Amino acid sequence: MSDWMPEAETPPVSPPEDVSTPEEPDLPQDGPVADAPSFEPAEPAPLGVERTPTGRAEVDALLERLADADHLPADGHTEVYEDVHRGLKSALTSLDARPAGDARPPAAPGPPRPGPTPAYDNTHDHRS
């Protein structure tokens, strides 16, 4: 049970008698609405992203290849991106390769080098 009681001076609230609904706009019955959204994919359009030259012709050519994706539908982007990725990976790998005229053999592993000497002697426990 509740102890709450409405005050005697407060009139009861009743719903309004004239409840009107907003009028619906007149829609054509025999054709599509002129501004209805289309569910068809949009035409490919360039993104307008500027490409800054890197100074390496191979890399710059690959970055220009990305512009090909601007004129393809979305399902064609994957092929372009994978092609550019392979080219960039190859360019990076070539940076690690030795020049053709460098005939030096790779350095042979030698004996292990001793580690750094500690600042204090920690070989003795010095407990009495």
Side-chain angles (χ1 to χ4, degrees):
M1 284 182 72
S2 172
D3 293 332
W4 183 81
M5 295 285 294
E7 294 181 22
E9 300 164 7
T10 308
V13 179
S14 62
E17 306 248 342
D18 182 27
V19 178
S20 61
T21 59
E23 293 187 27
E24 294 184 18
D26 294 329
L27 298 176
Q29 300 296 325
D30 295 335
V33 177
D35 293 332
S38 171
F39 296 106
E40 296 297 319
E43 293 293 319
L47 296 176
V49 176
E50 290 186 34
R51 291 167 187 87
T52 306
T54 64
R56 295 185 56 92
E58 180 183 10
V59 173
D60 291 339
L62 289 165
L63 293 178
E64 284 301 317
R65 169 91 166 95
L66 288 174
D68 293 346
D70 287 345
H71 308 290
L72 295 172
D75 59 353
H77 291 188
T78 304
E79 181 181 341
V80 173
Y81 294 153
E82 287 178 349
D83 181 44
V84 171
H85 181 259
R86 276 190 301 273
L88 290 173
K89 186 175 179 182
S90 174
L92 284 172
T93 303
S94 71
L95 293 175
D96 292 334
R98 293 190 178 273
D102 190 5
R104 289 182 292 157
R113 297 182 180 176
T117 306
Y120 56 90
D121 183 14
N122 61 357
T123 58
H124 300 288
D125 198 3
H126 301 294
R127 292 186 189 179
S128 342

